[in-house]
Amino acid sequence: MYAIARQRILGQSFQKMRPAVSVLRSYSSAAKQITVRDALNSALDEEMSADPKVFLMGEEVGEYQGAYKITKGLLEKYGPERVLDTPITEAGFTGIGVGAAYYGLKPVVEFMTFNFSMQAIDHIINSAAKSNYMSAGQISVPIVFRGPNGAAAGVGAQHSQCYASWYASCPGLKVLSPYNSEDARGLLKAAIRDPDPVVFLENELLYGESFPVSDEVLDSSFCIPIGKAKIEREGKDVTITAFSKMVGYALKAAEILEKDGIYAEVINLRSIRPLDRSTINTSVRKTNRLVTVEEGFPQHGVGAEICASVVEESFAYLDAPVERIAGADVPMPYAANLERMAVPQIEDIVRAAKRACYRSVPLAAAA
Amino acid sequence: MATAFSAAKFSTQPFHLNPTSTTSHDSPLVFANPTSQFLGSTRKLHLTSSSKFNLTRRSGTVVAVSDVVKQKKSKSAPTLLITKEEGLELYEDMILGRAFEDMCAQMYYRGKMFGFVHLYNGQEAVSTGFIKLLKQQDSVVSTYRDHVHALSKGVPARAVMSELFGKTTGCCRGQGGSMHMFSREHNVLGGFAFIGEGIPVATGAAFTSKYKREVLKEADCDHVTLAFFGDGTCNNGQFFECLNMAALWKLPIVFVVENNLWAIGMSHLRATSDPQIYKKGPAFGMPGIHVDGMDVLKVREVAKEAIGRARRGEGPTLVECETYRFRGHSLADPDELRDPAEKAHYAARDPITALKKYLIENSLASEAELKAIDKKIDEVVEDAVEFADESPVPARSQLLENVFADPKGFGIGPDGRYRCEDPKFTEGTAHV
């Protein structure tokens, strides 16, 4: 846990150095920009005030204002009975959250990072995900597990794993991964209102980024349906699927590809389970080529599932093999240059898209 | 009437348990056992005299109740601990547990039941002693040895038997099985296969009870949760995490340890550095009680106090019940490691025989009445088997049901219906 304290201090200074990227959108009623952090905070605030059964639980969510300041101000507003600082006992407090959810309370359990959720994974899978099935519908578990997922900057192997594919393989869980502020607000509100266990995978490096949001996003009843992907950018030549931080990279790659005359369609998955197979397949049937992008380990990853789904349903429409971009098949190294190589970069996505379009020599070696 | 607790309630005076014995030093190397015969290993133990429990160190009480109750009973004129109705209720519940489990064994060997079946024979006093004091809204969380907990809490024998046969009329429609008994109506929250998994869930249920009272302002919500688990679980991390949080937040829960001295084939003494589990309570700031789990009346007295404590909002209690399972860990366990002398010792202390003796000696019931109860329970169990036999197996379509409470993933709207069924859902803020 020392590493996380050090990383918090470093991470915050990191965020100051990194320019806030605002991706251009063509909203008619745009203008207001909020960070993902504020989006999550406002979503939690609104849901807690709307329903007294919602409460927060996790390490440092209260007096510390949240390890990443997501829960800032909520302790003052709702008191220590609804914003609980827990001891460092993931297995214990996750189980307590599940037990409370059995009785209809709506806990939002924060893991400081999803790496620590491995200490509690028995409760997430065995007590939460499987309970509705084992009890034949008598006991539903309206709980949300949220926290940062995936690689941050220089935090080493034990703090950088992406858990999307692990949780998404388990029936009984819903797994969501937002990209921008609109996703963050809408999906978190939907997750809290959902009667099933939801794993909500955020990204630490996105917390500080601002995105423009429309007025309807800021409305307190705004909700995004679980299980629908969003087409962030329309195109006709190649489909690129991504989630979380990789959506930003995919969009930038699409801009670069446009200069070479390749118009990429970028799909923001939003929901890893249930996976929006129909949107992905419809897009592939239109473009005939697919590149899947994710940050996690390649074997048995989200890209593997998407590839299998497309091969099962749209094989005849594919003009090229599916390209799978994932993190390197190694535990995350610490050195900055090695870390850069272990995580997909924009150039990798561009190269893969060009390969799918037969525009370059296949399998260029990594630099 | 003064309960065993009140005699030593949170006092810090040293408590002599057995005034006739010589005091022995509380040496960590000698396994000092309380005077209830604490056999429990493949090797013979020297039965040392009881040690003087030094209570001045801690704020919680560490008491071996069995002797206090024994002394009280022998000194004064026999004051009865139960009325006739209560006695018959306890007897009936224990007989139901025993008869049901015996029938399970029969059915298993006939192939009607399959998988893992863990039987509760011998431990009935703990289940009956505790659960018969609960209200319907109180909850029980158990382990894989949960058939009798479910029966004591009120789940019909038919529903439990059907569940074990894997039929669709079971309490979980055949989807749970022996180890996963859930009942929303009777507040049985499972049924967990992993040891220690139920303890945090029970703590969460207790947390809900407190939350409802304090935050949701349901002033009369005094629901108590009981967590049942074994001696092996007391070495697991989740157990300690929950003792800490339950005491920290003063949750209305009772942690009931069914110490039957064996975790499959691992003797408690071989697995635990300090085998006296009740001592772990005061380390976390709650009272730790040891009670003879083969005597339903003693268990009931302790349970009354512990449940009362929780209901009044005074916080959790750790109760260690020294008990024994007459059969192996499960029906697949050949049970070769346990000393036959130990088994005989505990078989002689069968809780049902003991209660029967008490009822008859104190003229609370006659032989005929008890035999009538035996017969009635036999019929109940036979009927349960017939019902389960005749019930249908689940339909094929049931395979994919109940994975989610809200399958389409669009959430449930404020009117309580699935949002995706609402035609107006596609307008407005939803991006479809």
Side-chain angles (χ1 to χ4, degrees):
Chain A
M1 302 285 169
Y2 289 127
I4 201 82
R6 201 167 38 116
Q7 182 269 327
R8 247 183 265 139
I9 301 166
L10 287 177
Q12 284 177 1
S13 52
F14 243 100
Q15 251 119 45
K16 288 198 199 104
M17 293 193 300
R18 195 184 302 261
V21 175
S22 60
V23 186
L24 289 177
R25 288 278 181 287
S26 51
Y27 284 134
S28 51
S29 58
K32 184 135 195 260
Q33 297 235 352
I34 58 171
T35 58
V36 171
R37 179 179 284 120
D38 288 337
L40 293 167
N41 185 285
S42 61
L44 286 170
D45 195 355
E46 285 162 20
E47 290 304 306
M48 284 182 81
S49 77
D51 186 348
K53 298 204 283 285
V54 178
F55 69 96
L56 301 185
M57 194 185 223
E59 295 157 10
E60 311 292 9
V61 295
E63 292 192 6
Y64 198 84
Q65 310 296 323
Y68 296 97
K69 307 296 181 240
I70 306 298
T71 52
K72 186 170 178 166
L74 296 177
L75 176 66
E76 282 79 52
K77 202 165 168 191
Y78 297 103
E81 290 145 353
R82 292 185 69 192
V83 179
L84 289 151
D85 276 324
T86 62
I88 306 177
T89 48
E90 273 79 10
F93 70 71
T94 306
I96 288 182
V98 172
Y102 276 18
Y103 270 106
L105 292 190
K106 296 187 176 195
V108 177
V109 175
E110 174 174 311
F111 292 116
M112 204 181 272
T113 74
F114 261 92
N115 300 279
F116 310 150
S117 75
M118 291 200 286
Q119 303 222 319
I121 199 166
D122 171 44
H123 280 290
I124 299 175
I125 308 288
N126 278 325
S127 322
K130 296 183 183 171
S131 286
N132 200 59
Y133 192 83
M134 286 198 294
S135 69
Q138 293 177 78
I139 312 241
S140 83
V141 190
I143 191 170
V144 175
F145 303 103
R146 53 158 292 270
N149 175 55
V155 292
Q158 294 187 351
H159 284 83
S160 307
Q161 189 165 337
C162 175
Y163 289 87
S165 63
W166 280 25
Y167 287 122
S169 72
C170 182
L173 279 183
K174 294 177 182 167
V175 181
L176 304 176
S177 192
Y179 162 57
N180 55 16
S181 306
E182 178 189 333
D183 289 352
R185 252 182 78 80
L187 289 175
L188 186 55
K189 285 160 92 65
I192 294 175
R193 295 178 196 180
D194 195 277
D196 289 307
V198 179
V199 172
F200 194 82
L201 305 170
E202 304 158 2
N203 187 297
E204 195 232 317
L205 297 173
L206 286 177
Y207 283 153
E209 292 205 15
S210 318
F211 297 92
V213 286
S214 63
D215 286 336
E216 65 183 357
V217 173
L218 295 171
D219 181 59
S220 69
S221 59
F222 176 67
C223 228
I224 291 184
I226 294 176
K228 295 299 297 174
K230 180 170 183 213
I231 298 181
E232 296 281 348
R233 183 190 174 113
E234 300 229 347
K236 60 177 179 59
D237 292 319
V238 61
T239 300
I240 304 179
T241 64
F243 61 94
S244 189
K245 186 150 147 286
M246 292 291 124
V247 176
Y249 283 24
L251 288 167
K252 292 208 201 83
E255 280 172 23
I256 296 174
L257 287 166
E258 194 180 352
K259 297 196 188 80
D260 284 325
I262 300 176
Y263 295 92
E265 179 149 296
V266 176
I267 300 182
N268 174 3
L269 291 174
R270 283 181 169 176
S271 170
I272 316 295
R273 185 175 186 110
L275 197 56
D276 191 354
R277 294 167 209 274
S278 64
T279 301
I280 298 170
N281 278 287
T282 310
S283 173
V284 170
R285 288 177 187 212
K286 185 171 81 171
T287 64
N288 307 124
R289 295 160 208 275
L290 176 61
V291 175
T292 67
V293 186
E294 61 182 307
E295 215 179 26
F297 300 135
Q299 188 167 344
H300 307 301
V302 176
E305 175 63 28
I306 295 177
C307 177
S309 170
V310 163
V311 161
E312 282 165 11
E313 293 179 29
S314 315
F315 183 66
Y317 294 82
L318 281 172
D319 284 347
V322 175
E323 294 281 340
R324 192 171 47 152
I325 299 289
D329 203 13
V330 295
M332 184 67 68
Y334 169 67
N337 65 325
L338 291 179
E339 191 182 24
R340 216 171 16 251
M341 289 200 281
V343 175
Q345 303 297 331
I346 301 172
E347 306 82 59
D348 298 316
I349 305 176
V350 169
R351 258 202 310 270
K354 284 188 177 168
R355 270 202 307 271
C357 297
Y358 300 140
R359 297 289 193 92
S360 67
V361 177
L363 293 175
Chain B
M1 66 149 254
T3 64
F5 267 66
S6 53
K9 196 182 274 196
F10 310 120
S11 70
T12 52
Q13 304 148 20
F15 194 96
H16 285 274
L17 287 176
N18 191 342
T20 59
S21 73
T22 56
T23 54
S24 68
H25 297 290
D26 213 346
S27 155
L29 294 174
V30 171
F31 175 55
N33 60 336
T35 52
S36 59
Q37 278 71 50
F38 202 75
L39 289 182
S41 87
T42 49
R43 45 186 178 85
K44 292 263 192 277
L45 280 177
H46 295 291
L47 296 179
T48 59
S49 48
S50 73
S51 58
K52 185 170 89 178
F53 288 99
N54 186 349
L55 296 178
T56 51
R57 287 178 300 175
R58 304 214 180 275
S59 56
T61 318
V62 170
V63 170
V65 171
S66 48
D67 302 293
V68 180
V69 177
K70 233 193 287 183
Q71 281 169 22
K72 281 175 62 64
K73 277 167 70 178
S74 57
K75 278 189 204 148
S76 54
T79 49
L80 294 176
L81 293 167
I82 44 171
T83 65
K84 175 172 177 158
E85 289 78 36
E86 289 170 351
L88 291 178
E89 190 194 354
L90 296 179
Y91 183 76
E92 184 171 335
D93 194 55
M94 291 210 285
I95 287 284
L96 174 63
R98 182 66 62 88
F100 191 92
E101 297 291 74
D102 283 338
M103 184 60 79
C104 283
Q106 258 193 57
M107 292 295 119
Y108 187 86
Y109 293 127
R110 282 198 210 160
K112 303 261 184 78
M113 235 180 257
F114 35 89
F116 285 132
V117 181
H118 305 86
L119 298 180
Y120 201 72
N121 297 50
Q123 297 180 200
E124 294 86 1
V126 180
S127 173
T128 303
F130 268 94
I131 298 181
K132 282 302 169 195
L133 291 169
L134 296 180
K135 306 189 288 201
Q136 178 158 15
Q137 301 92 334
D138 294 325
S139 40
V140 166
V141 178
S142 177
T143 58
Y144 42 76
R145 209 178 292 282
D146 56 351
H147 307 168
V148 179
H149 293 137
L151 291 170
S152 290
K153 193 70 175 52
V155 181
R158 280 184 162 192
V160 181
M161 192 61 86
S162 299
E163 182 64 30
L164 293 170
F165 279 35
K167 300 292 173 84
T168 194
T169 46
C171 57
C172 297
R173 298 172 80 198
Q175 288 174 202
S178 164
M179 298 188 284
H180 304 293
M181 294 283 165
F182 288 87
S183 169
R184 166 54 78 210
E185 185 194 338
H186 299 280
N187 289 305
V188 176
L189 301 183
F192 289 96
F194 281 48
I195 60 153
E197 194 178 357
I199 306 176
V201 173
T203 314
F207 176 87
T208 306
S209 172
K210 186 160 183 259
Y211 189 91
K212 279 187 181 163
R213 193 172 54 236
E214 292 178 5
V215 179
L216 300 179
K217 307 289 181 217
E218 292 172 24
D220 54 354
C221 180
D222 59 354
H223 307 327
V224 168
T225 308
L226 298 185
F228 290 93
F229 48 95
D231 43 286
T233 311
C234 295
N235 296 324
N236 190 275
Q238 292 180 83
F239 169 61
F240 298 110
E241 292 183 10
C242 290
L243 284 184
N244 177 40
M245 286 192 272
L248 183 67
W249 295 329
K250 279 187 123 166
L251 300 180
I253 183 172
V254 183
F255 295 102
V256 183
V257 184
E258 294 170 321
N259 184 353
N260 58 19
L261 305 174
W262 291 90
I264 305 188
M266 190 65 169
S267 153
H268 177 55
L269 301 169
R270 283 180 66 212
T272 318
S273 55
D274 186 348
Q276 294 171 309
I277 300 173
Y278 61 91
K279 281 181 176 175
K280 297 180 184 178
F284 289 93
M286 71 178 82
I289 318 294
H290 175 274
V291 66
D292 176 6
M294 302 305 269
D295 184 330
V296 66
L297 299 173
K298 289 179 189 159
V299 172
R300 196 179 150 89
E301 289 305 304
V302 169
K304 268 194 205 155
E305 188 64 37
I307 293 174
R309 237 180 78 85
R311 251 193 242 293
R312 288 189 299 269
E314 291 168 22
T317 316
L318 176 67
V319 181
E320 179 187 354
C321 303
E322 184 197 331
T323 180
Y324 202 75
R325 53 169 162 82
F326 294 157
R327 290 181 181 267
H329 164 73
S330 71
L331 289 173
D333 175 19
D335 195 17
E336 288 159 347
L337 287 174
R338 299 196 297 177
D339 190 2
E342 180 189 83
K343 291 192 214 178
H345 170 84
Y346 280 98
R349 292 169 57 193
D350 188 330
I352 294 180
T353 329
L355 180 66
K356 195 165 175 182
K357 191 153 161 268
Y358 182 89
L359 289 174
I360 292 179
E361 278 178 2
N362 290 291
S363 309
L364 287 171
S366 64
E367 277 270 6
E369 281 174 324
L370 298 179
K371 277 231 170 354
I373 292 181
D374 288 348
K375 190 160 175 305
K376 174 175 152 207
I377 292 296
D378 276 338
E379 283 168 17
V380 165
V381 175
E382 293 273 353
D383 167 71
V385 172
E386 254 184 63
F387 175 78
D389 256 338
E390 288 163 12
S391 297
V393 287
R396 286 178 57 130
S397 57
Q398 200 183 304
L399 178 67
L400 298 176
E401 287 176 12
N402 296 129
V403 178
F404 284 133
D406 164 33
K408 289 269 202 274
F410 284 69
I412 291 179
D415 58 358
R417 294 176 42 233
Y418 290 132
R419 275 214 188 88
C420 55
E421 290 167 10
D422 177 6
K424 300 227 307 268
F425 180 59
T426 54
E427 304 164 18
T429 61
H431 297 268
V432 174

